[in-house]
Amino acid sequence: PKITTTQRKELWKRTSFEGKGYRGLSDESLEFYGFRVEHKHGGKSVKAVYFPETRDGKLQGYKSRHDPKGFGWDNIGITGAINDLSGQCRFQEGGKYVLICGGEFDMVAAQDMLREYQDMKNQDDYNRYAVVSPTTGESSAAKQCRHHYEWFDSFDVIIVGLDSDEVGRESALKL
């Protein structure tokens, strides 16, 4: 079932938006996307990151990723390909560009890079570029994106930026 208010409050008690430089990602972008970070005892290293998942812009649950690469151990609520793309709820109006990345951390890294570009061009008061990722990995990207055709159609240019490995290349072709 969908995440409850009690479950969300419990998660928020033990987590924060502070990644403290985890994987080189900015706390600003982690907060922008609503990621929650749980630190190990002592607070110096990351235990898990929780990615919010929405459907029609409404919170359904949180997908978990335990460091270094353990997925789904502590998922809360409804998660998976039936939901919106990760980050999609942040860009409801459409726009000129949308970038599809291979995963949530790639999405945040790309957002950081594009935000730095806007700062360099003195455009830090501009809206952020739309950057999203599939919630269940690159291999299911085409299937999940297919369900959001109308949303993608609200952008002029769709950029596919998946990994350059075999899975990423095959998934990009399907997209």
Side-chain angles (χ1 to χ4, degrees):
K2 180 178 154 182
I3 190 171
T4 65
T5 301
T6 302
Q7 288 173 312
R8 186 192 55 77
K9 286 179 180 178
E10 287 173 2
L11 175 67
W12 280 49
K13 279 183 189 176
R14 69 175 196 271
T15 62
S16 72
F17 294 122
E18 293 180 6
K20 300 179 182 177
Y22 180 65
R23 297 181 68 130
L25 305 173
S26 76
D27 289 351
E28 178 187 359
S29 290
L30 291 172
E31 183 174 2
F32 174 77
Y33 283 110
F35 289 13
R36 301 299 298 184
V37 182
E38 182 176 11
H39 293 276
K40 294 178 183 173
H41 297 290
K44 292 187 179 183
S45 59
V46 170
K47 176 181 179 184
V49 179
Y50 294 84
F51 312 111
E53 292 204 16
T54 61
R55 186 178 314 146
D56 299 323
K58 295 184 175 111
L59 183 65
Q60 300 297 302
Y62 282 87
K63 177 177 93 173
S64 67
R65 177 179 173 151
H66 287 256
D67 194 50
K69 203 166 184 166
F71 293 98
W73 297 345
D74 290 327
N75 288 354
I76 303 166
I78 300 170
T79 61
I82 61 170
N83 288 326
D84 298 335
L85 295 153
S86 185
Q88 181 178 342
C89 66
R90 305 298 287 156
F91 308 101
Q92 290 302 313
E93 306 86 41
K96 181 139 179 97
Y97 300 103
V98 60
L99 169 60
I100 306 168
C101 293
E104 289 91 349
F105 289 139
D106 295 337
M107 175 182 74
V108 174
Q111 186 62 248
D112 281 343
M113 175 189 67
L114 292 167
R115 197 69 184 153
E116 285 178 28
Y117 174 76
Q118 286 178 310
D119 288 344
M120 183 183 73
K121 295 290 213 172
N122 294 318
Q123 299 172 342
D124 55 338
D125 59 336
Y126 283 33
N127 289 336
R128 291 172 176 261
Y129 287 100
V131 184
V132 297
S133 77
T135 60
T136 55
E138 290 178 331
S139 59
S140 64
K143 180 181 178 182
Q144 190 173 22
C145 288
R146 216 175 279 128
H147 294 291
H148 302 285
Y149 178 85
E150 287 183 22
W151 181 79
F152 279 110
D153 199 36
S154 69
F155 293 91
D156 296 337
V157 178
I158 301 168
I159 302 163
V160 178
L162 304 182
D163 292 345
S164 62
D165 58 14
E166 185 177 337
V167 172
R169 287 190 300 273
E170 287 177 13
S171 299
L173 289 173
K174 289 178 184 176
L175 275 171

